[in-house]
């Protein structure tokens, strides 16, 4: 009787020890892989809202072109569509402080846009704004959104950023300032939450 109770006790003792060991191991594995940290450990203080204002220059042809059409094309690219559905452009477009292309440059918009609608002239924009001015020098914002270019105001999400824009989220508003066959100038107002 006493001996069987002893056996039961030591069994329970080993069972508890076993679970403690398992949980402790699990804990330390997951601590190595990922854990909660404080915001201040990354040097982040508080969230701020910034407003950036600049002009985007998209030059699609000529000696100074900043947007080039990708000539590779799927056999199904719909040439019969009046909206050049399926066209892909790669851009390195200057961002300037005034509408004039020779005004002070504050960065570049690098990435691509795809004509992604058969029913209207609508683009999928996949861009990084690479800033070169002041406290934003070296920092980027990433844009992923829909741009229906013929409407007066378009809104595109800012999905992230780097440098001073780490953890960024916000939106960009685009309005066409002027447009010719060759050169579109688009006014951008960007509103973005980020830390400082
Ligand atoms: C290209 O840019 C240069 C320098 O800004 C300018 O002098 C020239 O007129 C431009 N050429 C065209 C075709 O726009
Ligand atoms: C091509 O575009 C035209 C005009 O938008 C549309 O009517 C037609 O259905 C499209 N064809 C295909 C195969 O998608
Ligand atoms: C931006 O940073 C680069 C690299 O650190 C530097 O060469 C450049 O002069 C800076 N530009 C401005 C406008 O501060």
């Amino acid at each position: 009787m006493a001996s069987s109770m002893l056996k039961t006790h030591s069994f329970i003792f080993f069972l508890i020890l076993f679970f403690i060991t398992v949980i402790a191991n699990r804990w330390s594995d997951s601590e190595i892989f990922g854990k909660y940290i404080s915001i201040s450990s990354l040097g982040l203080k508080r969230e701020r809202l910034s407003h950036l204002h600049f002009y985007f220059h998209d030059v699609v042809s000529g000696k100074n072109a900043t947007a080039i059409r990708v000539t590779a094309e799927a056999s199904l690219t719909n040439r019969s569509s009046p909206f050049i559905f399926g066209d892909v452009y790669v851009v390195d477009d200057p961002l300037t402080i005034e509408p004039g292309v020779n005004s002070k440059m504050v960065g570049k918009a690098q990435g691509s846009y795809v004509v992604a609608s058969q029913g209207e002239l609508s683009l999928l924009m996949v861009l990084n704004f690479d800033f070169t001015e002041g406290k934003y020098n070296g920092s980027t914002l990433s844009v992923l959104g829909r741009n229906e270019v013929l409407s007066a105001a378009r809104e595109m999400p800012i999905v992230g950023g780097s440098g001073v824009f780490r953890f960024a989220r916000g939106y960009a508003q685009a309005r066409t300032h002027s447009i010719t066959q060759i050169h579109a100038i688009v006014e951008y107002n960007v509103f973005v939450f980020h830390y400082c």
Side-chain angles (χ1 to χ4, degrees):
M1 179 71 184
S3 125
S4 108
M5 249 178 79
L6 201 64
K7 268 186 188 155
T8 312
H9 277 153
S10 43
F11 177 69
I12 290 170
F13 175 75
F14 280 115
L15 205 63
I16 289 169
L17 200 66
F18 174 75
F19 279 117
I20 286 173
T21 313
V22 168
I23 288 167
N25 274 338
R26 280 281 168 84
W27 212 317
S28 59
D29 278 356
S30 64
E31 283 278 291
I32 291 165
F33 175 55
K35 62 182 178 227
Y36 293 121
I37 60 170
S38 70
I39 289 171
S40 60
S41 70
L42 287 182
L44 305 174
K45 292 183 195 82
R46 61 199 171 101
E47 202 170 31
R48 301 290 297 265
L49 181 61
S50 287
H51 173 201
L52 292 95
H53 178 247
F54 51 81
Y55 293 85
F56 168 105
H57 297 267
D58 198 47
V59 182
V60 294
S61 65
K63 198 160 66 69
N64 297 337
T66 59
I68 57 164
R69 194 178 148 247
V70 176
T71 50
E73 130 181 334
S75 59
L76 286 178
T77 299
N78 190 351
R79 293 281 129 213
S80 67
S81 159
F83 305 107
I84 55 173
F85 175 62
D87 267 11
V88 179
Y89 285 81
V90 175
V91 304
D92 186 21
D93 284 348
L95 307 174
T96 61
I97 207 133
E98 301 284 347
V101 71
N102 292 321
S103 68
K104 187 181 177 60
M105 197 164 87
V106 295
K108 293 279 199 79
Q110 298 173 334
S112 63
Y113 55 79
V114 176
V115 183
S117 172
Q118 291 176 298
E120 65 273 297
L121 188 55
S122 176
L123 311 177
L124 162 66
M125 310 288 283
V126 184
L127 294 178
N128 289 314
F129 290 142
D130 175 26
F131 297 107
T132 50
E133 178 59 21
K135 61 177 176 289
Y136 305 109
N137 189 14
S139 297
T140 66
L141 283 175
S142 299
V143 179
L144 178 68
R146 179 172 187 268
N147 185 1
E148 196 182 337
V149 294
L150 298 179
S151 57
R154 293 88 75 182
E155 185 173 312
M156 289 163 263
I158 301 291
V159 297
S162 70
V164 300
F165 292 123
R166 286 173 182 168
F167 298 109
R169 64 204 157 83
Y171 62 96
Q173 285 177 329
R175 284 185 181 79
T176 303
H177 177 269
S178 64
I179 190 162
T180 67
Q181 292 274 29
I182 294 170
H183 189 163
I185 304 176
V186 183
E187 181 183 14
Y188 269 82
N189 279 286
V190 175
F191 300 92
V192 65
F193 278 111
H194 61 108
Y195 286 88
C196 67

